[in-house]
PDB file of all heavy atoms in Angstrom:
ATOM      1  N   ILE A  15      -7.075  -2.760  -3.665  1.00 98.00           N
ATOM      2  CA  ILE A  15      -5.762  -2.739  -4.293  1.00 98.00           C
ATOM      3  C   ILE A  15      -4.725  -3.401  -3.379  1.00 98.00           C
ATOM      4  O   ILE A  15      -4.746  -3.210  -2.162  1.00 98.00           O
ATOM      5  CB  ILE A  15      -5.309  -1.295  -4.604  1.00 98.00           C
ATOM      6  CG1 ILE A  15      -6.362  -0.555  -5.429  1.00 98.00           C
ATOM      7  CG2 ILE A  15      -3.947  -1.286  -5.290  1.00 98.00           C
ATOM      8  CD1 ILE A  15      -6.577  -1.090  -6.829  1.00 98.00           C
ATOM      9  N   VAL A  16      -3.808  -4.135  -3.994  1.00 98.00           N
ATOM     10  CA  VAL A  16      -2.680  -4.717  -3.277  1.00 98.00           C
ATOM     11  C   VAL A  16      -1.404  -4.011  -3.701  1.00 98.00           C
ATOM     12  O   VAL A  16      -1.112  -3.919  -4.899  1.00 98.00           O
ATOM     13  CB  VAL A  16      -2.545  -6.232  -3.553  1.00 98.00           C
ATOM     14  CG1 VAL A  16      -1.262  -6.785  -2.920  1.00 98.00           C
ATOM     15  CG2 VAL A  16      -3.756  -6.988  -3.024  1.00 98.00           C
ATOM     16  N   ASP A  17      -0.667  -3.500  -2.722  1.00 98.00           N
ATOM     17  CA  ASP A  17       0.695  -3.018  -2.969  1.00 98.00           C
ATOM     18  C   ASP A  17       1.614  -4.116  -2.435  1.00 98.00           C
ATOM     19  O   ASP A  17       1.798  -4.254  -1.232  1.00 98.00           O
ATOM     20  CB  ASP A  17       0.943  -1.692  -2.242  1.00 98.00           C
ATOM     21  CG  ASP A  17       2.310  -1.090  -2.564  1.00 98.00           C
ATOM     22  OD1 ASP A  17       3.158  -1.821  -3.120  1.00 98.00           O
ATOM     23  OD2 ASP A  17       2.538   0.091  -2.240  1.00 98.00           O
ATOM     24  N   GLY A  18       2.172  -4.891  -3.351  1.00 98.00           N
ATOM     25  CA  GLY A  18       2.938  -6.073  -2.953  1.00 98.00           C
ATOM     26  C   GLY A  18       4.334  -5.782  -2.471  1.00 98.00           C
ATOM     27  O   GLY A  18       4.996  -6.660  -1.916  1.00 98.00           O
ATOM     28  N   THR A  19       4.793  -4.549  -2.701  1.00 97.00           N
ATOM     29  CA  THR A  19       6.130  -4.129  -2.270  1.00 97.00           C
ATOM     30  C   THR A  19       5.993  -2.768  -1.599  1.00 97.00           C
ATOM     31  O   THR A  19       6.532  -1.766  -2.079  1.00 97.00           O
ATOM     32  CB  THR A  19       7.089  -4.050  -3.470  1.00 97.00           C
ATOM     33  OG1 THR A  19       6.470  -3.281  -4.515  1.00 97.00           O
ATOM     34  CG2 THR A  19       7.414  -5.436  -4.016  1.00 97.00           C
ATOM     35  N   ALA A  20       5.304  -2.735  -0.491  1.00 96.00           N
ATOM     36  CA  ALA A  20       4.890  -1.463   0.109  1.00 96.00           C
ATOM     37  C   ALA A  20       6.061  -0.615   0.601  1.00 96.00           C
ATOM     38  O   ALA A  20       5.987   0.615   0.605  1.00 96.00           O
ATOM     39  CB  ALA A  20       3.911  -1.726   1.250  1.00 96.00           C
ATOM     40  N   GLY A  21       7.143  -1.264   1.041  1.00 93.00           N
ATOM     41  CA  GLY A  21       8.355  -0.534   1.415  1.00 93.00           C
ATOM     42  C   GLY A  21       8.116   0.562   2.418  1.00 93.00           C
ATOM     43  O   GLY A  21       7.556   0.347   3.489  1.00 93.00           O
ATOM     44  N   GLY A  22       8.527   1.789   2.066  1.00 92.00           N
ATOM     45  CA  GLY A  22       8.357   2.931   2.962  1.00 92.00           C
ATOM     46  C   GLY A  22       6.992   3.576   2.871  1.00 92.00           C
ATOM     47  O   GLY A  22       6.739   4.585   3.524  1.00 92.00           O
ATOM     48  N   GLY A  23       6.105   3.021   2.076  1.00 94.00           N
ATOM     49  CA  GLY A  23       4.729   3.500   2.028  1.00 94.00           C
ATOM     50  C   GLY A  23       4.470   4.626   1.048  1.00 94.00           C
ATOM     51  O   GLY A  23       3.387   5.216   1.058  1.00 94.00           O
ATOM     52  N   GLY A  24       5.424   4.922   0.162  1.00 92.00           N
ATOM     53  CA  GLY A  24       5.247   6.013  -0.794  1.00 92.00           C
ATOM     54  C   GLY A  24       4.024   5.844  -1.665  1.00 92.00           C
ATOM     55  O   GLY A  24       3.116   6.691  -1.662  1.00 92.00           O
ATOM     56  N   HIS A  25       3.968   4.754  -2.414  1.00 96.00           N
ATOM     57  CA  HIS A  25       2.789   4.479  -3.232  1.00 96.00           C
ATOM     58  C   HIS A  25       1.576   4.161  -2.351  1.00 96.00           C
ATOM     59  O   HIS A  25       0.450   4.566  -2.654  1.00 96.00           O
ATOM     60  CB  HIS A  25       3.045   3.294  -4.168  1.00 96.00           C
ATOM     61  CG  HIS A  25       4.032   3.572  -5.256  1.00 96.00           C
ATOM     62  ND1 HIS A  25       5.226   2.910  -5.363  1.00 96.00           N
ATOM     63  CD2 HIS A  25       3.985   4.433  -6.306  1.00 96.00           C
ATOM     64  CE1 HIS A  25       5.876   3.346  -6.431  1.00 96.00           C
ATOM     65  NE2 HIS A  25       5.155   4.278  -7.015  1.00 96.00           N
ATOM     66  N   SER A  26       1.805   3.431  -1.277  1.00 97.00           N
ATOM     67  CA  SER A  26       0.699   2.945  -0.447  1.00 97.00           C
ATOM     68  C   SER A  26      -0.147   4.073   0.129  1.00 97.00           C
ATOM     69  O   SER A  26      -1.383   3.973   0.180  1.00 97.00           O
ATOM     70  CB  SER A  26       1.237   2.079   0.698  1.00 97.00           C
ATOM     71  OG  SER A  26       1.648   0.815   0.232  1.00 97.00           O
ATOM     72  N   ARG A  27       0.490   5.142   0.591  1.00 96.00           N
ATOM     73  CA  ARG A  27      -0.276   6.251   1.186  1.00 96.00           C
ATOM     74  C   ARG A  27      -1.255   6.840   0.181  1.00 96.00           C
ATOM     75  O   ARG A  27      -2.421   7.108   0.511  1.00 96.00           O
ATOM     76  CB  ARG A  27       0.665   7.345   1.697  1.00 96.00           C
ATOM     77  CG  ARG A  27       1.334   7.028   3.021  1.00 96.00           C
ATOM     78  CD  ARG A  27       2.155   8.213   3.519  1.00 96.00           C
ATOM     79  NE  ARG A  27       1.328   9.372   3.766  1.00 96.00           N
ATOM     80  CZ  ARG A  27       0.652   9.594   4.889  1.00 96.00           C
ATOM     81  NH1 ARG A  27       0.705   8.702   5.877  1.00 96.00           N
ATOM     82  NH2 ARG A  27      -0.088  10.669   5.037  1.00 96.00           N
ATOM     83  N   GLU A  28      -0.809   7.038  -1.045  1.00 97.00           N
ATOM     84  CA  GLU A  28      -1.691   7.626  -2.045  1.00 97.00           C
ATOM     85  C   GLU A  28      -2.791   6.655  -2.451  1.00 97.00           C
ATOM     86  O   GLU A  28      -3.940   7.052  -2.681  1.00 97.00           O
ATOM     87  CB  GLU A  28      -0.884   8.060  -3.266  1.00 97.00           C
ATOM     88  CG  GLU A  28      -1.673   8.875  -4.269  1.00 97.00           C
ATOM     89  CD  GLU A  28      -2.287  10.143  -3.660  1.00 97.00           C
ATOM     90  OE1 GLU A  28      -1.648  10.761  -2.771  1.00 97.00           O
ATOM     91  OE2 GLU A  28      -3.405  10.505  -4.085  1.00 97.00           O
ATOM     92  N   ILE A  29      -2.455   5.368  -2.542  1.00 98.00           N
ATOM     93  CA  ILE A  29      -3.481   4.365  -2.849  1.00 98.00           C
ATOM     94  C   ILE A  29      -4.538   4.343  -1.754  1.00 98.00           C
ATOM     95  O   ILE A  29      -5.749   4.302  -2.034  1.00 98.00           O
ATOM     96  CB  ILE A  29      -2.842   2.972  -3.020  1.00 98.00           C
ATOM     97  CG1 ILE A  29      -1.918   2.948  -4.240  1.00 98.00           C
ATOM     98  CG2 ILE A  29      -3.923   1.898  -3.160  1.00 98.00           C
ATOM     99  CD1 ILE A  29      -1.057   1.700  -4.339  1.00 98.00           C
ATOM    100  N   ALA A  30      -4.098   4.382  -0.499  1.00 98.00           N
ATOM    101  CA  ALA A  30      -5.039   4.354   0.627  1.00 98.00           C
ATOM    102  C   ALA A  30      -5.991   5.544   0.597  1.00 98.00           C
ATOM    103  O   ALA A  30      -7.164   5.429   0.978  1.00 98.00           O
ATOM    104  CB  ALA A  30      -4.266   4.328   1.947  1.00 98.00           C
ATOM    105  N   ARG A  31      -5.504   6.686   0.122  1.00 98.00           N
ATOM    106  CA  ARG A  31      -6.352   7.876   0.051  1.00 98.00           C
ATOM    107  C   ARG A  31      -7.455   7.726  -0.996  1.00 98.00           C
ATOM    108  O   ARG A  31      -8.533   8.309  -0.852  1.00 98.00           O
ATOM    109  CB  ARG A  31      -5.501   9.107  -0.303  1.00 98.00           C
ATOM    110  CG  ARG A  31      -4.572   9.574   0.800  1.00 98.00           C
ATOM    111  CD  ARG A  31      -3.965  10.936   0.433  1.00 98.00           C
ATOM    112  NE  ARG A  31      -2.999  11.376   1.430  1.00 98.00           N
ATOM    113  CZ  ARG A  31      -1.686  11.313   1.295  1.00 98.00           C
ATOM    114  NH1 ARG A  31      -1.170  10.825   0.169  1.00 98.00           N
ATOM    115  NH2 ARG A  31      -0.880  11.731   2.245  1.00 98.00           N
ATOM    116  N   GLN A  32      -7.180   6.972  -2.047  1.00 98.00           N
ATOM    117  CA  GLN A  32      -8.110   6.941  -3.177  1.00 98.00           C
ATOM    118  C   GLN A  32      -8.923   5.658  -3.299  1.00 98.00           C
ATOM    119  O   GLN A  32      -9.958   5.652  -3.978  1.00 98.00           O
ATOM    120  CB  GLN A  32      -7.330   7.149  -4.480  1.00 98.00           C
ATOM    121  CG  GLN A  32      -6.633   8.500  -4.584  1.00 98.00           C
ATOM    122  CD  GLN A  32      -6.063   8.726  -5.978  1.00 98.00           C
ATOM    123  OE1 GLN A  32      -6.703   8.418  -6.990  1.00 98.00           O
ATOM    124  NE2 GLN A  32      -4.846   9.255  -6.049  1.00 98.00           N
ATOM    125  N   ALA A  33      -8.467   4.566  -2.704  1.00 98.00           N
ATOM    126  CA  ALA A  33      -9.119   3.258  -2.888  1.00 98.00           C
ATOM    127  C   ALA A  33     -10.036   2.919  -1.720  1.00 98.00           C
ATOM    128  O   ALA A  33      -9.965   3.506  -0.633  1.00 98.00           O
ATOM    129  CB  ALA A  33      -8.057   2.179  -3.053  1.00 98.00           C
ATOM    130  N   LYS A  34     -10.881   1.940  -1.958  1.00 98.00           N
ATOM    131  CA  LYS A  34     -11.758   1.442  -0.894  1.00 98.00           C
ATOM    132  C   LYS A  34     -10.948   0.730   0.180  1.00 98.00           C
ATOM    133  O   LYS A  34     -11.167   0.918   1.380  1.00 98.00           O
ATOM    134  CB  LYS A  34     -12.791   0.477  -1.494  1.00 98.00           C
ATOM    135  CG  LYS A  34     -13.690  -0.193  -0.468  1.00 98.00           C
ATOM    136  CD  LYS A  34     -14.634  -1.182  -1.144  1.00 98.00           C
ATOM    137  CE  LYS A  34     -15.510  -1.896  -0.109  1.00 98.00           C
ATOM    138  NZ  LYS A  34     -16.420  -2.871  -0.766  1.00 98.00           N
ATOM    139  N   ARG A  35      -9.982  -0.081  -0.270  1.00 98.00           N
ATOM    140  CA  ARG A  35      -9.187  -0.877   0.668  1.00 98.00           C
ATOM    141  C   ARG A  35      -7.813  -1.137   0.073  1.00 98.00           C
ATOM    142  O   ARG A  35      -7.684  -1.368  -1.133  1.00 98.00           O
ATOM    143  CB  ARG A  35      -9.894  -2.205   0.963  1.00 98.00           C
ATOM    144  CG  ARG A  35      -9.260  -3.048   2.063  1.00 98.00           C
ATOM    145  CD  ARG A  35     -10.133  -4.250   2.368  1.00 98.00           C
ATOM    146  NE  ARG A  35      -9.573  -5.086   3.438  1.00 98.00           N
ATOM    147  CZ  ARG A  35     -10.105  -6.219   3.863  1.00 98.00           C
ATOM    148  NH1 ARG A  35     -11.236  -6.661   3.327  1.00 98.00           N
ATOM    149  NH2 ARG A  35      -9.539  -6.928   4.827  1.00 98.00           N
ATOM    150  N   LEU A  36      -6.798  -1.098   0.918  1.00 98.00           N
ATOM    151  CA  LEU A  36      -5.426  -1.382   0.501  1.00 98.00           C
ATOM    152  C   LEU A  36      -4.855  -2.503   1.345  1.00 98.00           C
ATOM    153  O   LEU A  36      -4.959  -2.490   2.572  1.00 98.00           O
ATOM    154  CB  LEU A  36      -4.540  -0.136   0.663  1.00 98.00           C
ATOM    155  CG  LEU A  36      -3.026  -0.368   0.601  1.00 98.00           C
ATOM    156  CD1 LEU A  36      -2.599  -0.764  -0.813  1.00 98.00           C
ATOM    157  CD2 LEU A  36      -2.262   0.858   1.074  1.00 98.00           C
ATOM    158  N   ILE A  37      -4.246  -3.476   0.676  1.00 98.00           N
ATOM    159  CA  ILE A  37      -3.464  -4.504   1.362  1.00 98.00           C
ATOM    160  C   ILE A  37      -2.003  -4.194   1.065  1.00 98.00           C
ATOM    161  O   ILE A  37      -1.557  -4.301  -0.083  1.00 98.00           O
ATOM    162  CB  ILE A  37      -3.833  -5.932   0.905  1.00 98.00           C
ATOM    163  CG1 ILE A  37      -5.295  -6.236   1.235  1.00 98.00           C
ATOM    164  CG2 ILE A  37      -2.936  -6.956   1.592  1.00 98.00           C
ATOM    165  CD1 ILE A  37      -6.262  -5.841   0.153  1.00 98.00           C
ATOM    166  N   ALA A  38      -1.273  -3.755   2.081  1.00 98.00           N
ATOM    167  CA  ALA A  38       0.133  -3.357   1.939  1.00 98.00           C
ATOM    168  C   ALA A  38       1.021  -4.494   2.423  1.00 98.00           C
ATOM    169  O   ALA A  38       1.037  -4.812   3.613  1.00 98.00           O
ATOM    170  CB  ALA A  38       0.408  -2.084   2.731  1.00 98.00           C
ATOM    171  N   ILE A  39       1.760  -5.099   1.492  1.00 98.00           N
ATOM    172  CA  ILE A  39       2.578  -6.279   1.796  1.00 98.00           C
ATOM    173  C   ILE A  39       4.057  -5.922   1.688  1.00 98.00           C
ATOM    174  O   ILE A  39       4.471  -5.225   0.765  1.00 98.00           O
ATOM    175  CB  ILE A  39       2.273  -7.418   0.802  1.00 98.00           C
ATOM    176  CG1 ILE A  39       0.783  -7.784   0.821  1.00 98.00           C
ATOM    177  CG2 ILE A  39       3.125  -8.659   1.115  1.00 98.00           C
ATOM    178  CD1 ILE A  39       0.376  -8.717  -0.318  1.00 98.00           C
ATOM    179  N   ASP A  40       4.857  -6.419   2.606  1.00 97.00           N
ATOM    180  CA  ASP A  40       6.308  -6.345   2.464  1.00 97.00           C
ATOM    181  C   ASP A  40       6.947  -7.460   3.282  1.00 97.00           C
ATOM    182  O   ASP A  40       6.443  -7.819   4.349  1.00 97.00           O
ATOM    183  CB  ASP A  40       6.863  -4.994   2.903  1.00 97.00           C
ATOM    184  CG  ASP A  40       8.160  -4.654   2.160  1.00 97.00           C
ATOM    185  OD1 ASP A  40       9.212  -5.242   2.496  1.00 97.00           O
ATOM    186  OD2 ASP A  40       8.116  -3.826   1.244  1.00 97.00           O
ATOM    187  N   GLN A  41       8.062  -8.006   2.761  1.00 96.00           N
ATOM    188  CA  GLN A  41       8.752  -9.081   3.469  1.00 96.00           C
ATOM    189  C   GLN A  41       9.821  -8.562   4.422  1.00 96.00           C
ATOM    190  O   GLN A  41      10.349  -9.316   5.231  1.00 96.00           O
ATOM    191  CB  GLN A  41       9.387 -10.047   2.477  1.00 96.00           C
ATOM    192  CG  GLN A  41      10.454  -9.432   1.571  1.00 96.00           C
ATOM    193  CD  GLN A  41      11.080 -10.437   0.630  1.00 96.00           C
ATOM    194  OE1 GLN A  41      11.299 -11.589   0.990  1.00 96.00           O
ATOM    195  NE2 GLN A  41      11.354 -10.028  -0.600  1.00 96.00           N
ATOM    196  N   ASP A  42      10.151  -7.275   4.311  1.00 96.00           N
ATOM    197  CA  ASP A  42      11.205  -6.683   5.126  1.00 96.00           C
ATOM    198  C   ASP A  42      10.622  -6.220   6.463  1.00 96.00           C
ATOM    199  O   ASP A  42       9.756  -5.342   6.490  1.00 96.00           O
ATOM    200  CB  ASP A  42      11.814  -5.492   4.376  1.00 96.00           C
ATOM    201  CG  ASP A  42      13.049  -4.923   5.059  1.00 96.00           C
ATOM    202  OD1 ASP A  42      13.160  -5.062   6.294  1.00 96.00           O
ATOM    203  OD2 ASP A  42      13.896  -4.334   4.368  1.00 96.00           O
ATOM    204  N   PRO A  43      11.084  -6.774   7.588  1.00 96.00           N
ATOM    205  CA  PRO A  43      10.537  -6.362   8.889  1.00 96.00           C
ATOM    206  C   PRO A  43      10.761  -4.889   9.198  1.00 96.00           C
ATOM    207  O   PRO A  43       9.946  -4.265   9.886  1.00 96.00           O
ATOM    208  CB  PRO A  43      11.278  -7.259   9.894  1.00 96.00           C
ATOM    209  CG  PRO A  43      12.481  -7.773   9.165  1.00 96.00           C
ATOM    210  CD  PRO A  43      12.097  -7.840   7.726  1.00 96.00           C
TER     211      PRO A  43
END
């Protein structure tokens, strides 16, 4: 799964728990 707007990681953390692999992308340093 790709989270293209990972931000503060809200969605990303739950995706990481359930998916095989997560690519967390964000343009904001």
